[in-house]
Each structure stands twice: as structure tokens, then as C-alpha cells.
Amino acid sequence: MKDNLDVECENVHSFIQDTLYVVNGKWKLVILSILVNKGTRRFGELSRESGISPRILSRELHELEMNQLISRRVCNTKPVTVEYSSTEYAETLKEVIGAMIRWGQNHRKKIKGQ
Amino acid sequence: MKDNLDVECENVHSFIQDTLYVVNGKWKLVILSILVNKGTRRFGELSRESGISPRILSRELHELEMNQLISRRVCNTKPVTVEYSSTEYAETLKEVIGAMIRWGQNHRKKIKGQ
DNA sequence: CTGGATCCATTAGGATACTG
DNA sequence: CAGTATCCTAATGGATCCAG
């Protein structure tokens, strides 16, 4: 399907695709924006705050954890609670998250004005 | 400033989702990065350069055009050729595209180092 | 050259119920 | 409370053929 003739040209595109591979889907950046900008959250809090159903949230959190963007901490409460926090590495995504928030704001303004 | 952020905190998630709604999928930001950073391309050029099959590319271009991010120009050649360019509005996505390219570069470096 | 039509495989996402 | 199991639908992506 894709040949290797254009290796140099494709570098920029593949950087974008690398990023998309990590933060793909409807929810990962939403989850990260909560944890990065607002701080630690429990599973149920995240679910309510974002509107993500438990099954999806569980999967997304696993994937984010695998990419070292969030950390999971089990608390010795009864019943057990779990805290999710963004890692230092997630801080490097602030530029991306911020850019998307700003663009979304501006875009909504534009759409409303039409 | 902080008050302002707090007030808008409820909407931050939907701003991200607005942006994701426009540039969703594996390909839209790749296509835009080509047209914005490297200039006008024909249909076949885009297909080869990005590795997107014609059917998918066609659909993505339609959606980008609907969102006024690219423009389509039919040329009076034989056979007909079509030129796709990024619009002025697409320039506003440069911040997002740039942030994702930089993060992808950095991320690849990190992954390799592990 | 452009790009639609058809067909198919894979994945993403959602609702609900349920267990430790 | 946290998360998994099950089931299901919709969306995404790709291959190939074909027509203007």
C-alpha cells in the first residue's frame, strides 16, 4: 500500500500520526485535559465529569497508562477507591491540549457568527 | 485570568470535542499539514504523498471542504485535474498541527531511548 | 486523472447488568 | 466504588473495479 520512496517527505506526516496514535479517539484528550488542568480524579468522578461510560473509560485509562501519560493509585479505603493523576510526561501534551481548546473556542465563535 | 479559566472550565471539554469533531480520524490533520505547510496539491499527488486510498481521500477532502478548511479548483486540462489548497481559515490550525508535529518528534525520541 | 460504487474487515463506542 | 462481561450498532478504513 505505501512505499518507502518518500521517506523524507513522510517524516512530518508520521510525526502527526505518531501523536494521533497515542491520543486517538474521542476521549483521550478530554481525560487528559481534566487530569492535567484540574488535577487528580477518581474513576467515578472522571466518568461523571466527562460523560464516558465505565467500559470505555476503563479502556482509555489503560491505554493512557500504558503510554505513561497517567498514573493509577489504589487507596486503602472501604470500599477501595482509585485515583488517577497525570504524569510529568503528560505535561508535554499541554501545548497540544491548549491549542485544541483555543481552536475549538474560536471555531465555535465562527460557526455561531454564520 | 484564573477566574476566567475557572468560569470556562465546564466548557473546556466541549471545546476539545468541537476541534476533534472537525479534524477527527487518521487523516485530516495529515492532509492539512501537507496543504498548509507545503502548498497546493492535486488529488493523485495527495493520494501518493499521504498513502491514502482514493475512496478515503475523496471523503476526507469533502469533509474538509465542508468545514471551509480547503478549497477545490478544477483545471481545464485534458484530462481534467483538480487542485486542492488550504484556505485562510486552515491557517488557524497551524498551532494545533505544529504542536502535534513537535510532540510526535519528541515522543518518538523518547520511545527510541527506552 | 478524478473520484464514485461496491464489498468487506476491523475498530470505536455505547447500554446494561453484574462482581469483588 | 471500580471495573469487567456481554451484546450490539455505527463508524472507519481498505481493495478493487469502473466511469466521466
Side-chain angles (χ1 to χ4, degrees):
Chain A
M1 178 202 69
K2 94 185 191 181
D3 53 357
N4 290 326
L5 302 176
D6 256 342
V7 170
E8 294 185 9
C9 255
E10 277 187 7
N11 272 338
V12 162
H13 317 153
S14 50
F15 288 142
I16 292 182
Q17 293 186 299
D18 289 348
T19 304
L20 289 176
Y21 184 79
V22 174
V23 297
N24 58 355
K26 282 171 69 174
W27 298 120
K28 292 204 181 65
L29 285 173
V30 171
I31 294 168
L32 285 169
S33 79
I34 294 176
L35 297 180
V36 168
N37 293 324
K38 299 161 82 177
T40 297
R41 291 287 188 278
R42 293 213 315 269
F43 186 88
E45 291 175 327
L46 271 180
S47 182
R48 259 174 281 112
E49 209 165 325
S50 59
I52 313 177
S53 70
R55 192 183 76 90
I56 306 297
L57 180 58
S58 174
R59 192 188 56 200
E60 302 287 272
L61 290 173
H62 275 301
E63 293 177 13
L64 289 170
E65 198 185 2
M66 280 184 357
N67 283 307
Q68 304 173 40
L69 292 167
I70 64 171
S71 62
R72 180 177 180 276
R73 179 169 155 263
V74 180
C75 304
N76 268 336
T77 52
K78 43 172 185 166
V80 162
T81 57
V82 180
E83 285 181 357
Y84 290 93
S85 310
S86 59
T87 62
E88 284 237 337
Y89 189 47
E91 298 286 310
T92 63
L93 270 172
K94 266 188 169 174
E95 190 190 4
V96 171
I97 294 172
M100 294 193 75
I101 291 174
R102 283 187 291 278
W103 197 84
Q105 287 176 318
N106 182 65
H107 184 64
R108 182 174 293 185
K109 222 181 296 172
K110 176 177 184 272
I111 295 302
K112 273 189 181 168
Q114 286 180 351
Chain B
M1 190 57 192
K2 189 161 192 209
D3 287 338
N4 207 352
L5 279 180
D6 284 341
V7 168
E8 293 179 353
C9 251
E10 312 157 11
N11 296 326
V12 160
H13 317 152
S14 49
F15 288 141
I16 291 181
Q17 294 186 298
D18 289 348
T19 303
L20 289 175
Y21 184 78
V22 174
V23 297
N24 58 354
K26 282 170 71 174
W27 298 120
K28 293 206 181 63
L29 285 173
V30 172
I31 295 169
L32 284 170
S33 79
I34 295 176
L35 296 180
V36 168
N37 293 323
K38 298 161 81 181
T40 298
R41 289 289 187 278
R42 293 213 316 269
F43 186 87
E45 291 175 328
L46 270 179
S47 183
R48 257 174 284 114
E49 210 166 324
S50 59
I52 313 175
S53 69
R55 191 184 77 91
I56 306 296
L57 180 57
S58 173
R59 192 187 57 202
E60 302 288 271
L61 290 172
H62 274 302
E63 293 177 14
L64 289 171
E65 199 185 0
M66 283 186 354
N67 283 309
Q68 304 173 40
L69 292 168
I70 64 171
S71 61
R72 181 177 180 277
R73 179 169 153 263
V74 180
C75 303
N76 267 337
T77 52
K78 45 174 183 164
V80 162
T81 58
V82 181
E83 285 182 0
Y84 290 92
S85 311
S86 60
T87 62
E88 284 238 336
Y89 190 46
E91 298 286 309
T92 64
L93 270 172
K94 266 188 168 173
E95 191 189 4
V96 171
I97 293 172
M100 294 192 76
I101 290 175
R102 282 187 293 278
W103 196 85
Q105 286 176 321
N106 182 66
H107 184 63
R108 181 173 295 186
K109 220 181 299 171
K110 177 178 183 273
I111 294 303
K112 273 189 181 167
Q114 283 180 353

